[in-house]
Amino acid sequence: GFDRTAAEAAVALITSEGIHLARGDEGLSWGRHAEAALSRLGPDDPLRGRFESALGGLAMQRLELVDARKHYEKALEIERAALGDDHERVALLLTYLGVVLEQQGKSEDAVASFEQAIEIFGRVLGPEHPQLALLHNNYAVILFGRQDWAGAQKQLEQALAIQRKVKGDHPGTALFLGNLGSALILQGKVEEGRALMEEALAMNEKLLGPEHPDVALSLANLAEVEAMAGDLGSSRRLNERALSIM
């Protein structure tokens, strides 16, 4: 009926207006519209999970971490009750919650949330799904924040293995190569890390062209490695080329 259509539209607009377009006040306004429509549909309507998730994303956009956590935890409770534990939607919410927990300084809880998500995605989507590669990469970013370079390396190796098999040469593959290179360098494995960063640069140049911003980023990353290795001349040349693109 009308209430369902109104609720679905309002929930979608929380995301599109409040999050994607960064119009927080409009997102909150659509949240009130959605709440009014949902109140007429009843407390157990399955749309409530999406509603709480959208409010969580809006709170994250506004850097309101306590509210974001509350909404994501509520969304997770609703979706688990409706869909069970082994569902892609549940895994996705666990990743959102993991990011919030990390931002709150609750690193152990964030790690547990990401590890649950990876387990679920692996069971539901299979061990070689592109979404799983992205999740391994995002988990590695959390581990970078904890200065767990070895843990980040492990996650990025898994991400890269999936990405190479599924996508081959791809900008996402170059991203994972660069991130893995960083994880290795931070462990003192400079030569291994440099080789991966050089591969990332070559792949980006081939796929995107020599003037693309991602090429500039690859150049800047490699310049930093050269500076760490003591080759200041090479570092300067790479930085100059990166700046000419930017």
Side-chain angles (χ1 to χ4, degrees):
F2 174 77
D3 285 336
R4 171 158 299 284
T5 301
E8 289 176 347
V11 168
L13 285 163
I14 295 170
T15 300
S16 62
E17 294 288 324
I19 301 173
H20 296 160
L21 297 178
R23 297 171 179 167
D25 290 341
E26 291 185 33
L28 289 173
S29 176
W30 285 114
R32 290 190 289 271
H33 285 293
E35 179 62 53
L38 281 166
S39 68
R40 295 188 290 271
L41 293 173
D44 299 323
D45 191 271
L47 185 58
R48 281 200 169 270
R50 285 175 49 204
F51 170 62
E52 292 290 345
S53 178
L55 290 180
L58 182 59
M60 276 294 286
Q61 180 84 12
R62 296 166 65 88
L63 302 178
E64 297 166 351
L65 298 179
V66 172
D67 285 345
R69 180 177 176 180
K70 178 186 71 175
H71 288 304
Y72 282 141
E73 286 177 340
K74 183 63 176 176
L76 194 55
E77 177 187 341
I78 293 168
E79 299 289 24
R80 273 182 161 148
L83 304 170
D85 282 337
D86 277 2
H87 194 279
E88 183 178 352
R89 178 77 184 150
V90 170
L92 196 59
L93 284 166
L94 282 165
T95 68
Y96 296 161
L97 181 58
V99 171
V100 176
L101 291 167
E102 179 64 22
Q103 291 291 315
Q104 289 186 311
K106 301 180 183 298
S107 292
E108 294 299 327
D109 292 337
V111 165
S113 194
F114 266 90
E115 288 181 348
Q116 284 183 65
I118 287 171
E119 288 178 12
I120 294 168
F121 268 124
R123 288 195 299 267
V124 174
L125 300 177
E128 296 178 352
H129 194 280
Q131 183 69 33
L132 191 58
L134 182 60
L135 182 53
H136 280 298
N137 180 76
N138 292 347
Y139 182 23
V141 173
I142 296 292
L143 296 174
F144 271 119
R146 301 183 71 207
Q147 298 186 6
D148 182 359
W149 319 130
Q153 176 186 342
K154 179 181 176 182
Q155 294 301 318
L156 287 163
E157 285 171 344
Q158 292 179 75
L160 185 58
I162 296 168
Q163 185 78 4
R164 283 192 191 278
K165 186 165 187 177
V166 175
K167 296 284 183 73
D169 287 357
H170 184 273
T173 309
L175 173 65
F176 297 166
L177 281 164
N179 289 347
L180 180 54
S182 295
L184 290 167
I185 288 163
L186 287 165
Q187 295 175 80
K189 303 172 183 177
V190 177
E191 291 305 317
E192 292 177 62
R194 177 194 278 126
L196 292 178
M197 287 190 169
E198 288 173 344
E199 185 180 353
L201 172 60
M203 192 175 294
N204 275 330
E205 287 178 320
K206 171 187 169 186
L207 296 171
L208 304 173
E211 303 300 319
H212 193 277
D214 285 359
V215 171
L217 181 59
S218 293
L219 286 163
N221 289 340
L222 194 53
E224 187 174 351
V225 176
E226 296 295 354
M228 289 172 60
D231 190 345
L232 299 182
S234 178
S235 177
R236 184 177 62 254
R237 287 190 294 274
L238 290 163
N239 269 322
E240 286 173 350
R241 188 178 159 208
L243 288 169
S244 73
I245 296 170
M246 294 176 184

